[in-house]
Amino acid sequence: MTRHIVLLAYPNCQLLDVSGPWQVFASANALSPVPLYRLTLVADAPGRVMTNGGLAVHAQHAYHELPDLPALDTLLVAGGSGVIQARNDAELLNLLRQLAPRVRRVGSICSGAFLLAAAGLLDGQRVTTHWRHAHQLAEEYPALSVEPDALYLESGGRYTSAGVTAGIDLALSLVEADHGAALAGRVARELVMFLHRPGGQSQFSEILRGQQRAGPLKRLVDRLHADPGGAHTLESMAAQMAVSPRHLTRLFRRHLATTPCTYLTQLRLEQARMALLDEVQSVSLERLAERWRLGSAEQLRRQFQRYYGVSPSVYRQRFHTARA
């Protein structure tokens, strides 16, 4: 069965909010012996739609033609600065309300959530959007339960995602739901990315965020990033800062909301995760645990599961599927 996916754009939408999910579905088609998705781009009028990056996309239909399009399966709304004007379009809001009960999946990328919220389609649901706009979304639409740190969420048949590249993760999750992990993995491999980040994963890299918040710890944090596999101990790290171990722990808690040893473990786990991607067929957990000073293979397995929400074997299996 070919599923009809419609993406809704408008002037000054975010280019990647349109092209990212579109390419995921297009790649799924290219990797399948039969077409899996029919893709349609709609806007206020057919033809050229200028995105907020200055590059135009071409809409095949006007949004008022949506009720006449055959067998709509999924409707995704792009985000972008133009959403502020789009959500004031009463005709578009009414159309979305009418269409929603007839469409299996309705979702948004990034600030596209504002358009669905204005139409009343997210009331009572858990939703997310770009972290920069999450507070505004929650303030303007109190009937929503906004989770600002999620990559994407499904709640009550509504799908919302965070900024820009999270729309790709959302689209991959839809492909996996429709056609299984093997195809989603092949699409991810084709797009040179990991299978897809779990929806509940933080929008931020904890490691990058640590570097940004480090304050007086920045020199030490930079050294740890440069050599996470080094023979670092609480005492040696404290000595580099010319403070006591107890005071170093206080500094880490104050500026990074963690302990020095936990922060170092996260750095090492990130190196182990990247090694799993680089050496899918040959790497062993024993080798990784030894290389990155993460204890035994079982200790690495438990810490990996706790931090990434998936076991190393599942992570490796999924990427191996994509590579194959």
Side-chain angles (χ1 to χ4, degrees):
M1 177 181 69
T2 302
R3 302 181 188 276
H4 193 174
I5 309 289
V6 173
L7 283 97
L8 192 150
Y10 43 79
N12 291 315
C13 65
Q14 166 64 247
L15 174 63
L16 198 55
D17 287 359
V18 176
S19 62
W22 183 287
Q23 188 58 57
V24 168
F25 297 118
S27 294
N29 281 342
L31 293 169
S32 172
V34 295
L36 302 175
Y37 297 104
R38 174 181 175 181
L39 296 170
T40 299
L41 183 64
V42 301
D44 56 348
R48 177 176 172 172
V49 182
M50 186 61 70
T51 69
N52 58 14
L55 189 63
V57 293
H58 185 88
Q60 297 137 295
H61 296 278
Y63 60 68
H64 66 75
E65 299 177 71
L66 275 169
D68 301 321
L69 296 180
L72 296 185
D73 177 83
T74 302
L75 174 64
L76 297 176
V77 176
S81 59
V83 76
I84 303 304
Q85 183 172 349
R87 67 174 174 165
N88 292 323
D89 186 332
E91 182 183 357
L92 176 56
L93 297 182
N94 286 332
L95 184 62
L96 289 173
R97 295 185 192 105
Q98 294 167 17
L99 278 175
R102 298 168 39 193
V103 180
R104 185 169 67 101
R105 297 183 297 214
V106 176
S108 61
I109 295 92
C110 193
S111 56
F114 283 86
L115 186 54
L116 296 185
L121 300 182
L122 299 180
D123 288 357
Q125 306 303 330
R126 297 168 52 239
V127 303
T128 193
T129 187
H130 192 290
W131 61 267
R132 190 186 303 277
H133 307 301
H135 178 74
Q136 180 185 353
L137 183 66
E139 196 170 63
E140 295 185 6
Y141 300 99
L144 281 55
S145 176
V146 180
E147 300 187 15
D149 206 25
L151 281 176
Y152 56 89
L153 293 171
E154 184 278 328
S155 179
R158 300 292 184 257
Y159 297 77
T160 54
S161 65
V164 195
T165 58
I168 297 175
D169 292 295
L170 172 60
L172 277 170
S173 75
L174 299 182
V175 171
E176 181 170 358
D178 292 342
H179 300 290
L183 179 60
R186 292 174 65 204
V187 171
R189 180 66 181 174
E190 188 72 15
L191 299 178
V192 196
M193 60 184 293
F194 176 53
L195 176 60
H196 70 264
R197 297 172 288 179
Q201 181 175 316
S202 172
Q203 294 184 29
F204 302 97
S205 162
E206 286 297 330
I207 306 306
L208 175 60
R209 183 153 55 180
Q211 287 180 304
Q212 293 171 336
R213 298 184 311 194
L217 294 166
K218 188 174 190 315
R219 288 181 62 187
L220 173 60
V221 165
D222 287 346
R223 288 174 189 157
L224 296 179
H225 280 248
D227 182 25
H232 306 291
T233 64
L234 178 59
E235 290 72 22
S236 70
M237 288 187 283
Q240 291 181 57
M241 289 288 294
V243 298
S244 69
R246 180 176 295 181
H247 187 58
L248 181 67
T249 299
R250 283 197 293 265
L251 287 172
F252 263 82
R253 289 194 183 280
R254 183 184 309 155
H255 295 282
L256 298 173
T258 188
T259 66
C261 292
T262 299
Y263 189 85
L264 181 58
T265 296
Q266 291 174 350
L267 280 178
R268 290 170 170 173
L269 283 170
E270 182 66 8
Q271 295 301 314
R273 184 186 72 81
M274 295 303 297
L276 283 173
L277 296 183
D278 290 340
E279 306 175 64
V280 171
Q281 293 181 315
S282 62
V283 75
S284 69
L285 292 187
E286 290 78 8
R287 251 180 74 200
L288 287 179
E290 180 181 2
R291 169 68 182 86
W292 298 110
R293 299 177 185 266
L294 289 164
S296 66
E298 181 56 32
Q299 287 173 307
L300 168 56
R301 187 178 292 109
R302 288 199 302 266
Q303 292 178 101
F304 197 99
Q305 175 77 46
R306 187 181 307 119
Y307 188 63
Y308 293 110
V310 64
S311 70
S313 60
V314 170
Y315 187 99
R316 179 163 49 188
Q317 180 183 22
R318 287 183 171 182
F319 194 79
H320 176 71
T321 300
R323 183 176 181 180

